[in-house]
Amino acid sequence: NEAVKVNGYTCKDSTQMTPEDFYFQGLASAAATNTSTGSVVTGANVEKLPGLNTLGLSMSRIDYAPNGLNPPHVHPRASEIIFVLEGQLYVGFVTTAGKLMAKHINKGEIFVFPKGLLHFQKNVANTPASVIAAFDSQLPGTQSIVASLFGALPDDILVKSFQLKTKQVQRIKSRYPAKK
Amino acid sequence: NEAVKVNGYTCKDSTQMTPEDFYFQGLASAAATNTSTGSVVTGANVEKLPGLNTLGLSMSRIDYAPNGLNPPHVHPRASEIIFVLEGQLYVGFVTTAGKLMAKHINKGEIFVFPKGLLHFQKNVANTPASVIAAFDSQLPGTQSIVASLFGALPDDILVKSFQLKTKQVQRIKSRYPAKK
Amino acid sequence: NEAVKVNGYTCKDSTQMTPEDFYFQGLASAAATNTSTGSVVTGANVEKLPGLNTLGLSMSRIDYAPNGLNPPHVHPRASEIIFVLEGQLYVGFVTTAGKLMAKHINKGEIFVFPKGLLHFQKNVANTPASVIAAFDSQLPGTQSIVASLFGALPDDILVKSFQLKTKQVQRIKSRYPAKK
Amino acid sequence: NEAVKVNGYTCKDSTQMTPEDFYFQGLASAAATNTSTGSVVTGANVEKLPGLNTLGLSMSRIDYAPNGLNPPHVHPRASEIIFVLEGQLYVGFVTTAGKLMAKHINKGEIFVFPKGLLHFQKNVANTPASVIAAFDSQLPGTQSIVASLFGALPDDILVKSFQLKTKQVQRIKSRYPAKK
Amino acid sequence: NEAVKVNGYTCKDSTQMTPEDFYFQGLASAAATNTSTGSVVTGANVEKLPGLNTLGLSMSRIDYAPNGLNPPHVHPRASEIIFVLEGQLYVGFVTTAGKLMAKHINKGEIFVFPKGLLHFQKNVANTPASVIAAFDSQLPGTQSIVASLFGALPDDILVKSFQLKTKQVQRIKSRYPAKK
Amino acid sequence: NEAVKVNGYTCKDSTQMTPEDFYFQGLASAAATNTSTGSVVTGANVEKLPGLNTLGLSMSRIDYAPNGLNPPHVHPRASEIIFVLEGQLYVGFVTTAGKLMAKHINKGEIFVFPKGLLHFQKNVANTPASVIAAFDSQLPGTQSIVASLFGALPDDILVKSFQLKTKQVQRIKSRYPAKK
């Protein structure tokens, strides 16, 4: 009676599956967006929806305060498509050639962010906004770039990378306490 | 100046890409649902969104008339997650063990249909409904089961499969003119 | 001394493997074909041949009574090739465009059924027939369409999908007791 | 009107496909086995069966003269399962740990050769034999080991590898004229 | 006589391949490291080594000036292993949980950077250094983070992401002229 | 507190990872090359570098005595690129068409061996040589061809394959004691 694991997640015997394994209601309402950047991501991946195990896709909902920003980040294991539920956004990604591919998009429109590339979304209106995002991975992972840089890297790497002064780097770092 | 093709689709040089290659507005409004089953699927796959080429995901919007049905079908190349934009649906799939995994779902809720399995969605309210569907393929393909069976298979296969009379089979077939 | 599992199946240490892990004799003789449809599928997949684990292929043998039918079904995780051991068959699949691709094939001939598409084989002679089928999955799965529809879906979905009367649906359903 | 290619093979538009694209009769009869080793492989891969393109599987038929040998070889891109159509064979592969996994198999029995490993089949009876082989690649490739070694490698590599004398190496090489 | 393309790259017929298709000498000597960050990456991917097409791996050489830095970057399509040819480096990556995994490594030692994660290498000695890097993609792609952010994103996104003043952002931007 | 396994290897929780999981110093110095063939392979795969699990790549170091040979072998699960650290080598592989693709390569040069094909490297100088090899698998596996043939296969298969006399076969076999 040891659970069988596949990909590190429990793989239920088909006689024990229930419809609840394939269902999630956690994306139904907007999350509170009073965060430092004015955006919140709510995931619906294999950690919350066990039926996604081995299937190769997942979803998230992103809510934005007025003028809120989902700051530049990378998903190491997935491409992403967003569908605007509400609001007006300016969204984009940067290609490996360093070009910005960005656009204003509105309710009902979709935009694609290719796998592993730096991207962002910004609410450009004075009202809340929200999107549904789909990923081609059951657990896409997210690396928030500014928090990763200034929450994890040593001062000298940041000073040299950004060509900022140590004091400037430390001021930005003070907002991102390092993880242990 | 011959276009380079990958997967059979044109692969633009990165210097020629534009944000429009990653954008689509065709899912923004509900399609007319006065069809025989009361549902319409609008795809946003690599055929409409060239930037999806090689990325492994796509979207669709499905609109349902009051009590409309998206009848049993299979996507041969993808799993699917739906997010309910509006309405109340009864949705489900059948496992390879022959069990129904089905549930009533409401606005904002999501449900997963594993790759290659028979599934359906039914609007259970007297008002229109719509969902956004995500797929882990740039071109998932769809095989509508009743139309494929009765629009393509010979009478004797259908008679024996369903254990119906030839006349009954022909009556159903009359609604599905064969493709040539 | 806990068995290591990969894909949910035990992965033997190479020092403990034996030739029997890669061998199976269960396809050597025809199964009894006195079933309702006149066909029987005998699988040789990872559940019976542990050495197939991680290898991405498997086999089946299908035996057909005179005029027997392997009714329309889908393999959610594999394409299939059949080789006719004995007999004369009419075989085919339906494309996502709804077209029938079908052919009469004889002993020693082969036919391909692409992944996730509805297909069937019918013995068109008054003598038994049999084929060997190969799949590009260690566990391709099978969804028999009529049994899945009429053994699992609610009456109203079937009535609307087939545009049959409830009584007609219930009559077909009586042959397919629902799985719990 | 330029043909679209996928994987280097023409990818027909679905409106132009015919059942013949998925059908092959070239495995129906035994090939002449009066070769130097007493075996002949007849392939049914994507080069002969265009419908296999992108599907990830293929077949071969192997015919053996009495006591014929399919000498040690490797398929660089596929695992293999064989099903014995006729005869008695001694078949096996060598693991990466250098152990032989071999067995006598008879009509109707199957045996698995994992991807990329050295394997062989020998007819151990005084009557002809034949098998059907399935591969998890549309074009598995074959590298016959003795012919590759002695038809392609320089003398000194062979002398040192086998610790044979140059004359012995040249005698074996004389049977394998180098490809240019 | 049209070249067959696979993945967008010419796929030579095997009769036309030469050993040169699988060979590259461009990594043999150190590149000039008098760049702004004191490091230079020389790639040996499918664009330079046509024989890598479809093989799923490639290499690079990275040379570092004394105290030179390969600033934080991401490979969207590959993991990476480096082997130190010469010198002493401080190298690391940031996990999706925001933790730094970093270490001082010396000649002959190796370190792994998982796919899609932010990573860097810094020469910590007053002498030149160099590494060989291997990737599990024939064309891994590179996104240099600071150049992508400050060479491509609009001021307001950067101001809000870094919580810098517009002037500070513009000062950093002046070093990264935008790509058109 | 049972360790979670993925691919048969322990998958640490991200809170327990350390930089040492991604680091290996075992390739830093040359191994003793006084072996029968004059070469030694030292692996840096998932068995030694747990952080490689799921990443799809690994490395090896190969050291060669003066005139040493890494005799013909196959990696069943990976392509390989070598980078010459020191020395002059003659390296090559045999295509499935039986052609030799070989070249003399020197310090700093690279050469590619496609997946599953027979290949070798020979030190052609009177001084030691060494290379770094990269693979697109976390555990590529190696099958040394002469040892596999003469250490594992029965006499009659070898006699017939090489068209040698039994005595000659047994003489070669005496150098390769069979694995049990």
Side-chain angles (χ1 to χ4, degrees), chain A residues 83-89 104-110, chain B residues 23 28:
Chain A
F83 172 91
V84 182
L85 293 174
E86 200 59 59
Q88 296 166 286
L89 298 165
H104 286 86
I105 64 172
N106 299 303
K107 182 173 175 169
E109 297 178 349
I110 69 180
Chain B
Y23 164 75

Side-chain angles (χ1 to χ4, degrees), chain E:
Chain E
N1 53 17
E2 181 91 30
V4 171
K5 304 242 173 162
V6 172
N7 287 337
Y9 295 93
T10 298
C11 191
K12 276 194 181 178
D13 190 272
S14 64
T15 61
Q16 295 183 288
M17 292 189 317
T18 71
E20 274 66 31
D21 293 328
F22 300 89
Y23 165 76
F24 188 62
Q25 55 185 164
L27 306 190
S29 39
T33 56
N34 53 348
T35 63
S36 64
T37 56
S39 76
V40 173
V41 180
T42 308
N45 55 42
V46 69
E47 295 183 335
K48 297 192 181 155
L49 246 163
L52 285 178
N53 197 10
T54 76
L55 296 192
L57 80 175
S58 59
M59 272 191 169
S60 289
R61 176 192 179 118
I62 315 172
D63 294 298
Y64 310 84
N67 301 302
L69 173 70
N70 186 5
H73 61 283
V74 166
H75 302 294
R77 292 184 292 271
S79 296
E80 178 179 0
I81 305 182
I82 55 169
F83 172 91
V84 181
L85 293 175
E86 200 58 58
Q88 296 165 287
L89 298 165
Y90 180 66
V91 305
F93 66 89
V94 185
T95 72
T96 52
K99 277 180 67 176
L100 178 65
M101 294 281 138
K103 217 173 150 58
H104 285 85
I105 63 173
N106 299 303
K107 182 172 175 169
E109 297 177 349
I110 69 179
F111 199 83
V112 176
F113 307 106
K115 187 177 298 200
L117 295 183
L118 200 68
H119 61 289
F120 67 93
Q121 303 104 28
K122 185 171 191 319
N123 182 352
V124 292
N126 291 319
T127 50
S130 55
V131 308
I132 281 298
F135 303 91
D136 62 330
S137 164
Q138 65 180 42
L139 194 63
T142 298
Q143 186 157 53
S144 186
I145 291 301
V146 182
S148 294
L149 290 164
F150 288 89
L153 298 193
D155 288 10
D156 64 327
I157 303 284
L158 292 165
V159 163
K160 188 147 189 178
S161 296
F162 286 88
Q163 305 203 14
L164 290 169
K165 290 179 186 150
T166 302
K167 259 191 190 160
Q168 292 174 305
V169 161
Q170 289 173 341
R171 206 174 307 134
I172 304 180
K173 282 187 114 173
S174 67
R175 289 195 301 273
Y176 299 100
K179 307 288 169 63
K180 309 179 233 196

Side-chain angles (χ1 to χ4, degrees), chain A residues 23-174:
Chain A
Y23 165 75
F24 188 60
Q25 57 184 162
L27 306 189
S29 40
T33 57
N34 51 347
T35 63
S36 63
T37 56
S39 77
V40 174
V41 180
T42 308
N45 55 41
V46 69
E47 296 183 335
K48 295 191 183 156
L49 246 163
L52 285 177
N53 197 9
T54 76
L55 296 192
L57 79 174
S58 60
M59 273 193 167
S60 289
R61 175 191 181 120
I62 315 172
D63 294 295
Y64 310 84
N67 300 303
L69 173 71
N70 185 7
H73 61 283
V74 166
H75 302 295
R77 294 185 292 271
S79 296
E80 177 179 0
I81 306 181
I82 55 168
F83 172 91
V84 182
L85 293 174
E86 200 59 59
Q88 296 166 286
L89 298 165
Y90 180 66
V91 305
F93 65 89
V94 184
T95 71
T96 52
K99 276 181 68 177
L100 178 65
M101 293 283 141
K103 216 173 150 58
H104 286 86
I105 64 172
N106 299 303
K107 182 173 175 169
E109 297 178 349
I110 69 180
F111 199 83
V112 176
F113 307 106
K115 188 177 298 202
L117 295 182
L118 200 68
H119 62 289
F120 67 91
Q121 304 103 28
K122 185 173 190 318
N123 182 351
V124 292
N126 291 317
T127 49
S130 56
V131 308
I132 281 297
F135 303 90
D136 63 328
S137 164
Q138 65 180 39
L139 193 64
T142 298
Q143 186 157 52
S144 187
I145 292 301
V146 183
S148 294
L149 290 165
F150 288 89
L153 298 192
D155 288 11
D156 65 326
I157 303 286
L158 292 165
V159 163
K160 189 148 189 178
S161 298
F162 287 89
Q163 305 200 14
L164 289 170
K165 290 179 185 149
T166 302
K167 258 192 192 162
Q168 292 174 304
V169 160
Q170 288 172 342
R171 205 173 308 133
I172 304 180
K173 282 187 114 172
S174 68

Side-chain angles (χ1 to χ4, degrees), chain C residues 22-29 59 61 132, chain D residues 81-85 87 89 103-111 131-132:
Chain C
F22 300 89
Y23 166 74
F24 188 60
Q25 57 185 162
L27 306 190
S29 39
M59 271 193 169
R61 177 192 179 116
I132 282 298
Chain D
I81 304 181
I82 55 168
F83 172 91
V84 181
L85 292 175
L89 298 166
K103 215 174 151 58
H104 285 86
I105 63 173
N106 299 303
K107 182 173 175 168
E109 297 177 350
I110 69 180
F111 199 82
V131 308
I132 281 298

Side-chain angles (χ1 to χ4, degrees), chain D residues 67 94 118 143 162 175, chain F residues 67 94 118 143 160 162 175:
Chain D
N67 301 302
V94 185
L118 200 67
Q143 186 157 53
F162 287 89
R175 289 195 301 274
Chain F
N67 301 302
V94 184
L118 202 66
Q143 186 157 53
K160 188 148 192 178
F162 286 89
R175 289 196 301 275

Side-chain angles (χ1 to χ4, degrees), chain A residues 4-8, chain C residues 3-12 46 50 52-55 138, chain F residues 5-9 53 138:
Chain A
V4 171
K5 304 243 172 164
V6 173
N7 288 336
Chain C
V4 172
K5 304 243 171 165
V6 173
N7 287 336
Y9 294 94
T10 298
C11 192
K12 275 194 182 177
V46 69
L52 286 177
N53 196 10
T54 76
L55 296 191
Q138 64 181 41
Chain F
K5 304 243 171 163
V6 172
N7 288 335
Y9 295 93
N53 197 9
Q138 66 181 39

